[in-house]
Amino acid sequence: MATSCQIWRPDRGRCFKTYGIIIVLFMDLVLQCVDGYLSSPHVGQEPPYSRDAQHGPVITSPVVPAAASVTPADEESYTAKCPSGGLCSRLPADCIQCNYQHNCTYRKPATFSCKPKKGVHCIGESGHPQTNFSLSISCQFCWQLDPSEYRCSNSTNCMTVSCPRKRYNATCDVLDHVHCLGKRRFQKRLFCNWTGGYKWSTALALSITLGGFGADRFYLGQWREGLGKLFSFGGLGIWTLIDVLLIGVGYVGPADGSLYI
């Protein structure tokens, strides 16, 4: 009986060691998810205007912008990018003044009365100069436009690979040729979406071939985990297999929080 115990206990110890490594790695994944959830106050929430845009007409009180005095410096800034002698309906938004009425139906065509700004000259369809013309656009505010019709600032300070995905506050500007209601510069909360040049295929290949020495973690900039894998021989192979799976599904990414290319 004593001999059998001496044979059994070392095996049981190795088994407990294996299970312990698996449990520690699993707890690490759970804690990362919980930390990401608690640090993201807007998880599962869309900006209020995104939900409102899906329901019926956008109706508010009619607003007519007051004519503002134009300084010579302001006039020079917009006339430099306004084509002279072109069609009035093709002028960029910064070159015209329109009396936008906000009591139109969302995404329905609406026609507004416009005129070129001071110092801007344009012609109508007939080829004659015009000082007043009608502009037909889709009734929607600038922040309701399709993402292809505006450009937003990008952030390199947020984590793109996280559980759950994180957002950042972006400043967006509507393209010159696009006409819309409201302010042409607005704020939006966008998902973190930038890359630091790390390749997913390279990370996966290193994880499969040299993962036992931590080469995949070193490549991704995670040198602490790389040293841990190096001196534990890939967690006796278990950590290596787990990393192959995590990198394969994209859960483990670059240390700077960027996306793979």
Side-chain angles (χ1 to χ4, degrees):
M1 179 64 69
T3 305
S4 62
C5 290
Q6 291 176 357
I7 295 175
W8 167 250
R9 288 183 178 178
D11 293 340
R12 185 173 59 181
R14 284 196 297 270
C15 184
F16 286 160
K17 184 177 181 180
T18 302
Y19 287 148
I21 293 174
I22 295 176
I23 293 172
V24 169
L25 293 175
F26 177 76
M27 291 300 296
D28 180 62
L29 295 179
V30 172
L31 290 175
Q32 288 184 26
C33 285
V34 172
D35 180 65
Y37 181 84
L38 295 177
S39 62
S40 181
H42 295 277
V43 173
Q45 300 178 9
E46 292 293 332
Y49 49 74
S50 296
R51 294 193 298 268
D52 296 342
Q54 308 300 325
H55 302 288
V58 177
I59 300 178
T60 60
S61 58
V63 177
V64 179
S69 59
V70 180
T71 64
D74 294 336
E75 180 178 341
E76 183 179 354
S77 65
Y78 67 74
T79 53
K81 61 179 180 180
C82 295
S84 180
L87 289 175
C88 295
S89 58
R90 298 292 183 87
L91 285 174
D94 290 338
C95 304
I96 60 177
Q97 265 186 329
C98 297
N99 294 329
Y100 291 120
Q101 303 290 329
H102 297 175
N103 57 349
C104 52
T105 304
Y106 175 65
R107 283 193 179 276
K108 297 294 183 181
T111 302
F112 303 103
S113 175
C114 304
K115 64 179 180 179
K117 287 186 177 180
K118 184 180 178 180
V120 179
H121 306 283
C122 63
I123 60 175
E125 298 291 342
S126 61
H128 299 292
Q130 282 188 328
T131 55
N132 292 281
F133 62 95
S134 296
L135 181 67
S136 180
I137 64 173
S138 176
C139 179
Q140 54 186 343
F141 287 99
C142 294
W143 48 262
Q144 295 172 321
L145 292 172
D146 186 85
S148 63
E149 296 179 319
Y150 56 82
R151 295 289 180 268
C152 297
S153 60
N154 204 352
S155 174
T156 58
N157 296 323
C158 62
M159 299 289 291
T160 58
V161 182
S162 62
C163 177
R165 290 184 65 188
K166 293 186 178 181
R167 296 175 183 260
Y168 71 98
N169 294 321
T171 301
C172 304
D173 293 288
V174 181
L175 299 181
D176 290 339
H177 67 279
V178 179
H179 299 276
C180 55
L181 306 180
K183 295 182 178 180
R184 299 183 62 81
R185 172 169 289 187
F186 52 91
Q187 301 288 323
K188 263 200 168 183
R189 284 189 62 79
L190 303 177
F191 284 114
C192 300
N193 185 24
W194 64 284
T195 179
Y198 295 93
K199 292 185 177 181
W200 172 81
S201 57
T202 302
L204 183 60
L206 289 174
S207 184
I208 295 173
T209 57
L210 300 173
F213 302 100
D216 50 351
R217 294 283 185 162
F218 285 123
Y219 171 73
L220 295 175
Q222 303 175 6
W223 60 271
R224 294 183 182 86
E225 292 83 352
L227 290 175
K229 291 183 70 174
L230 177 63
F231 291 112
S232 65
F233 298 103
L236 300 180
I238 299 174
W239 193 348
T240 301
L241 293 176
I242 292 176
D243 268 1
V244 170
L245 294 176
L246 295 181
I247 293 176
V249 300
Y251 182 83
V252 172
D256 58 7
S258 63
L259 290 174
Y260 290 114
I261 59 175

